[in-house]
């Protein structure tokens, strides 16, 4: 199928593609916010107030490993956002003359893509806490130094990126919906 044929076919489904794009964008933006705010933050605050308490450490580890599993929904939504977004670009023909689109794509490419690559790594690949726990025994029944490093790295990543994602995400939604420029 040629690009022209694909564009023609997609054009007949513009509203459906836009619905898919906006649905996955909001799913991506908000899928982990409830878990982050209601589970991770309180557990990490309790652990930071009592860093040597074994019960707080165990709860922190358990919650972070569950967070790694739960973020899968977000990591399915993000590629769907990218694919549906590219489809919308094909359909509409918007280009660099649309300043709102340039701003939106700049945020996506320069902010969201690097953050998501790091997030995938931290949650599913080299930084996955459950995998580290299973493959790096500590000898004391808790966690290895590598596990602790992964927990701390992921926590700092979340502290730094959560406001960036929230502000950037709302900005992108605003630009996509209102097309102000």
């Amino acid at each position: 199928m040629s690009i022209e044929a694909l564009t023609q076919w997609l054009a007949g489904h513009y509203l459906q593609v836009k619905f898919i794009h906006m649905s996955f964008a909001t799913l991506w933006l908000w899928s982990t916010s409830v878990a982050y705010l209601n589970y991770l933050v309180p557990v990490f605050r309790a652990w930071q107030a009592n860093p040597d308490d074994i019960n707080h450490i165990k709860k922190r580890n358990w919650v972070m490993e569950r967070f790694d599993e739960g973020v899968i929904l977000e990591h399915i939504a993000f590629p769907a956002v990218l694919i549906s977004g590219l489809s919308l670009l094909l359909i509409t023909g918007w280009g660099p003359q649309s300043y709102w689109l340039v701003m939106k794509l700049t945020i996506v490419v320069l902010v969201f893509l690097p953050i998501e690559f790091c997030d995938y790594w931290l949650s599913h690949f080299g930084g996955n806490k459950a995998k580290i726990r299973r493959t790096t025994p500590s000898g004391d029944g808790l966690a290895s130094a590598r596990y602790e490093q992964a927990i701390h790295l992921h926590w700092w990543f979340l502290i730094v990126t959560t406001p960036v994602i929230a502000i950037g995400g709302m900005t992108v939604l605003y630009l996509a919906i209102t097309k102000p420029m």
Side-chain angles (χ1 to χ4, degrees):
M1 179 181 276
S2 71
I3 294 290
E4 293 82 22
L6 178 61
T7 302
Q8 244 351 58
W9 183 81
L10 286 171
H13 303 285
Y14 170 75
L15 290 177
Q16 289 83 0
V17 173
K18 187 172 183 176
F19 172 77
I20 289 167
H21 184 69
M22 296 305 292
S23 295
F24 278 111
T26 54
L27 178 64
W28 171 77
L29 182 58
W30 300 116
S31 63
T32 58
S33 63
V34 170
Y36 174 76
L37 290 173
N38 294 309
Y39 299 105
L40 281 180
V41 170
V43 167
F44 270 77
R45 283 186 180 154
W47 163 69
Q48 288 171 332
N50 301 292
D52 297 323
D53 183 321
I54 194 152
N55 291 324
H56 287 300
I57 293 169
K58 286 179 178 180
K59 191 170 186 180
R60 176 207 65 182
N61 296 352
W62 183 84
V63 167
M64 190 57 126
E65 288 184 25
R66 298 302 79 69
F67 188 80
D68 281 350
E69 291 172 5
V71 80
I72 290 170
L73 187 58
E74 172 196 345
H75 294 157
I76 291 169
F78 192 72
V81 170
L82 296 178
I83 292 167
S84 59
L86 290 172
S87 298
L88 286 171
L89 279 176
L90 282 174
I91 294 170
T92 62
W94 285 314
Q97 72 282 4
S98 303
Y99 295 122
W100 67 269
L101 180 62
V102 172
M103 287 179 64
K104 177 183 166 188
L105 292 177
T106 299
I107 294 169
V108 169
V109 171
L110 296 180
V111 178
F112 295 163
L113 280 175
I115 287 173
E116 283 302 298
F117 285 134
C118 291
D119 198 25
Y120 280 65
W121 186 85
L122 288 167
S123 295
H124 308 297
F125 301 108
N128 181 278
K129 275 56 77 198
K131 288 178 187 173
I132 292 170
R133 180 178 40 77
R134 287 192 303 267
T135 60
T136 315
S138 67
D140 63 4
L142 283 175
S144 66
R146 183 170 170 234
Y147 185 93
E148 282 299 315
Q149 183 181 22
I151 288 279
H152 288 267
L153 178 63
H154 202 159
W155 179 240
W156 278 108
F157 171 81
L158 291 169
I159 288 172
V160 170
T161 60
T162 297
V164 173
I165 293 289
I167 293 166
M170 291 307 292
T171 301
V172 165
L173 283 176
Y174 174 79
L175 292 168
I177 293 168
T178 65
K179 299 170 184 47
M181 303 169 247

